[in-house]
Amino acid sequence: MPTDSLENAPAATTRRDEAPLSFAIEARIPGAGGRAGTLTLPHGPVETPAFMVVGTQATIKSLTPEEVRGLGTQMILGNAYHLYLRPGAALIEEFGGLHKFMGWDGPILTDSGGFQVFSLGFALEHGVGKIAKIFPGEGSQAPKRAQRPKLTRIDDDGVTFTSHLDGSTHRFTPEVSIGIQQQLGADVIVAFDECTSPLHDHPYTARALDRTHRWADRCLEAWTRRDDQALFGIVQGGAYRDLRLQSAEFFAMRPFPGYCIGGSLGKDKDDMRAILDWTLPILPEERPRHLLGIGEPEDFFSAIERGIDLFDCVAPTRLARHGALYTADGRLQIKAARYTHDQGPIEEGCGCYTCQRFSRGYLRHLFHAGETLALRLASLHNLYFIVNLVRAIRASILDGTFATFRDSYLGRYTAKGGATPGKTLSA
Ligand SMILES: [Zn+2]
């Protein structure tokens, strides 16, 4: 970090040393930015790289905290937007905070609500995810003003939006988002940002980035009430190199003890890798980095190699509920007729509860019968698969075999076309 840049940093600089977080890097990937380490938070340690299981509504859908812990999960993610709307942050505070309310005593990160307020509404209207090819052959196109989400009104101070639950009107500002996250009480909270879509053009993304940066400084000022929470900044800038560089430089100068990489990650996985290549070398290497909303097997290797430490994604549980199950040979669709007589587990050698006890044929039956156990067993397997894949990558960094492991794993995973092309589910 250039010394002179500190002069432009806000007055809160000294808080970095007081952050309730420590991050120790234990091993590095030779010739790359990737690393394995341990992030220590008020509710315990997280061995990184790590995958956070997503608990949107103060629950990991269909699973108990003991089951989630039993998969190897060390940290989960909660959504400020959803919990603010229902049951309300004040009610959760009344119960002693999110940890006690949901019976999870490990580390939690809450997002700021920015993604849901801006991008989820926009994505729902336009069918856009974090990585999306919208207009093949046309590149990134600016949405017409009339196409902007009608339920969201943004100004320089904050954003007014309509609840997807009951149509009521609400307003988030940086101060409101921090206040909600302080009431929820997660170990890590995230600065409130304007999350842009892959549909936004450069001029709009630049204006949104400017707002995100001003809001980040307001979040730092608002982050005063609790000393048991770490506030992460969130780097934005869409798929535009100059904006990503500008944003990474902005955040590198601020006293955030860690960072999220947010927003649009371009039109395909090459764009995502390029965005990480632009961004990560600028961020202070001693602080942890979280890539928001990414969690497909083939994404982990390239992101971890470049220096991502934390992931979260709804894909494992969302896919599970649709009967799409991960295996080392790619994903299989358990509802398919070919599994009717299959007495083997989802995957031979898998250590999860489901694979220890149940056959593919039984799972297929549960899905066709509409039994809730199907959702539980499928979620247990998919989360076990993803959490332990990231743990295996961590182990390969520690023992110096990352590149070998990556090549053999991806060679098998993609060999039968099981990998997902270009499209990633996001929260
Ligand atoms: Zn399994």
Side-chain angles (χ1 to χ4, degrees):
M1 183 186 341
T3 316
D4 60 351
S5 66
L6 285 172
E7 292 171 10
N8 299 322
T13 302
T14 53
R15 287 193 195 134
R16 181 177 65 199
D17 297 330
E18 300 162 15
L21 169 159
S22 68
F23 182 55
I25 296 173
E26 290 149 22
R28 297 173 192 277
I29 299 172
R35 65 272 187 93
T38 299
L39 173 63
T40 304
L41 293 164
H43 286 82
V46 182
E47 294 172 330
T48 64
F51 181 83
M52 286 180 218
V53 172
V54 179
T56 299
Q57 309 277 10
T59 171
I60 312 302
K61 288 189 191 307
S62 84
L63 304 181
T64 66
E66 288 68 29
E67 288 168 330
V68 174
R69 176 73 78 182
L71 302 163
T73 307
Q74 292 180 312
M75 185 169 186
I76 65 170
L77 180 145
N79 292 110
Y81 168 89
H82 290 286
L83 297 174
Y84 157 80
L85 288 179
R86 183 178 59 194
L91 184 77
I92 291 176
E93 186 177 39
E94 185 184 316
F95 279 76
L98 187 55
H99 292 89
K100 287 184 178 160
F101 186 61
M102 68 181 291
W104 172 264
D105 59 6
I108 302 177
L109 176 148
T110 48
D111 65 9
S112 67
F115 178 78
Q116 282 77 18
V117 168
F118 295 105
S119 186
L120 187 57
F122 194 91
L124 287 173
E125 289 193 13
H126 299 275
V128 185
K130 287 184 80 71
I131 297 177
K133 197 164 199 166
I134 312 304
F135 300 120
E138 294 183 68
S140 178
Q141 296 291 310
K144 301 286 184 286
R145 186 164 292 276
Q147 293 175 307
R148 294 285 310 284
K150 298 168 188 61
L151 302 179
T152 302
R153 281 203 326 277
I154 184 172
D155 54 66
D156 283 345
D157 184 56
V159 55
T160 302
F161 61 96
T162 303
S163 164
H164 71 284
L165 295 175
D166 60 8
S168 54
T169 300
H170 301 266
R171 183 165 175 80
F172 273 12
T173 63
E175 292 78 17
V176 168
S177 172
I178 295 298
I180 291 167
Q181 294 186 80
Q182 287 178 330
Q183 286 182 303
L184 296 175
D187 302 70
V188 177
I189 63 177
V190 177
F192 187 64
D193 61 326
E194 179 175 354
C195 186
T196 52
S197 150
L199 287 172
H200 287 121
D201 63 7
H202 186 283
Y204 186 87
T205 306
R207 287 199 299 278
L209 184 63
D210 187 47
R211 239 184 323 251
T212 288
H213 289 169
R214 281 184 275 120
W215 289 357
D217 280 340
R218 283 169 57 185
C219 286
L220 278 173
E221 288 304 311
W223 176 43
T224 55
R225 194 157 69 84
R226 300 182 66 132
D227 58 6
D228 58 348
Q229 292 186 301
L231 172 63
F232 277 22
I234 176 163
V235 178
Q236 290 282 358
Y240 303 105
R241 182 172 183 272
D242 62 323
L243 299 182
R244 284 285 174 184
L245 294 177
Q246 184 189 327
S247 192
E249 283 162 6
F250 174 93
F251 281 102
M253 284 193 271
R254 262 63 181 180
F256 293 97
Y259 302 101
C260 298
I261 312 298
S264 161
L265 296 173
K267 65 186 184 308
D268 57 29
K269 291 176 190 297
D270 287 338
D271 280 2
M272 183 189 84
R273 287 188 281 266
I275 288 166
L276 296 179
D277 284 336
W278 302 330
T279 306
L280 296 181
I282 295 173
L283 296 176
E285 70 156 2
E286 73 278 8
R287 304 182 205 169
R289 301 88 170 256
H290 174 197
L291 183 58
L292 284 161
I294 293 296
E296 292 290 347
E298 61 270 42
D299 297 329
F300 292 133
F301 289 94
S302 55
I304 288 170
E305 184 170 8
R306 287 163 172 78
I308 292 294
D309 306 297
L310 298 165
F311 297 89
D312 78 277
C313 192
V314 296
T317 42
R318 182 175 291 171
L319 289 168
R321 293 197 296 277
H322 291 93
L325 305 177
Y326 291 111
T327 81
D329 296 304
R331 290 201 314 240
L332 63 79
Q333 178 45 259
I334 197 67
K335 290 186 263 189
R338 61 188 288 206
Y339 300 118
T340 306
H341 300 281
D342 193 331
Q343 297 186 26
I346 300 167
E347 177 152 68
E348 286 294 345
C350 176
C352 86
Y353 172 81
T354 304
C355 289
Q356 298 299 309
R357 287 165 180 78
F358 303 106
S359 65
R360 289 174 168 179
Y362 177 66
L363 285 167
R364 177 180 180 275
H365 157 70
L366 291 180
F367 268 99
H368 282 278
E371 287 292 338
T372 54
L373 186 59
L375 312 182
R376 283 176 40 70
L377 295 179
S379 294
L380 281 169
H381 170 80
N382 270 7
L383 286 174
Y384 183 95
F385 182 93
I386 291 296
V387 167
N388 288 285
L389 170 57
V390 177
R391 287 166 63 98
I393 296 173
R394 170 186 158 79
S396 78
I397 298 171
L398 290 172
D399 68 16
T401 58
F402 172 83
T404 314
F405 181 55
R406 175 197 61 205
D407 294 346
S408 69
Y409 192 93
L410 291 179
R412 182 176 170 189
Y413 187 76
T414 57
K416 295 180 182 174
T420 44
K423 175 93 175 135
T424 300
L425 289 169
S426 56

